[in-house]
Amino acid sequence: MNVGARSAKSWKCACLCAISEGVPRRSLYVAFIAGTVLNVINQGDAPLGMASIDWLKIILTYCVPYAVCTYGAVSYQLRLAETPLERQA
């Protein structure tokens, strides 16, 4: 198998892992909790009228924890799939 085909196969496997086995739900939960905490820290004075709300920063602050959590879950599943069954036990 050439490098391009192997790369396409691993991307396909990674995408399937990202949308399966509860990964999206768990990532959304983490993004909600972490994003809310980070938004309060970063823009806590905006609701009090001391500053304006930056909606792009709010959206990105929720997207980053989602992406990090999904990446962690997918990399774990891919590594687990590569490990021979004897080593998993």
Side-chain angles (χ1 to χ4, degrees), residues 2-89:
N2 65 16
V3 175
R6 190 176 321 137
S7 177
K9 183 180 178 187
S10 64
W11 271 105
K12 182 178 179 182
C13 187
C15 290
L16 288 174
C17 289
I19 60 171
S20 67
E21 300 180 26
V23 172
R25 184 180 325 138
R26 190 176 321 113
S27 295
L28 280 172
Y29 180 73
V30 169
F32 178 73
I33 300 297
T36 300
V37 169
L38 291 172
N39 273 316
V40 168
I41 291 169
N42 293 331
Q43 298 194 41
D45 52 349
L48 301 174
M50 300 167 140
S52 63
I53 294 176
D54 189 345
W55 292 102
L56 179 62
K57 285 183 181 179
I58 288 177
I59 292 168
L60 290 175
T61 303
Y62 284 103
C63 290
V64 170
Y66 181 86
V68 170
C69 186
T70 301
Y71 173 78
V74 168
S75 63
Y76 174 75
Q77 288 180 358
L78 291 177
R79 184 169 301 224
L80 196 63
E82 290 176 355
T83 306
L85 293 177
E86 299 84 38
R87 290 186 64 199
Q88 289 180 11

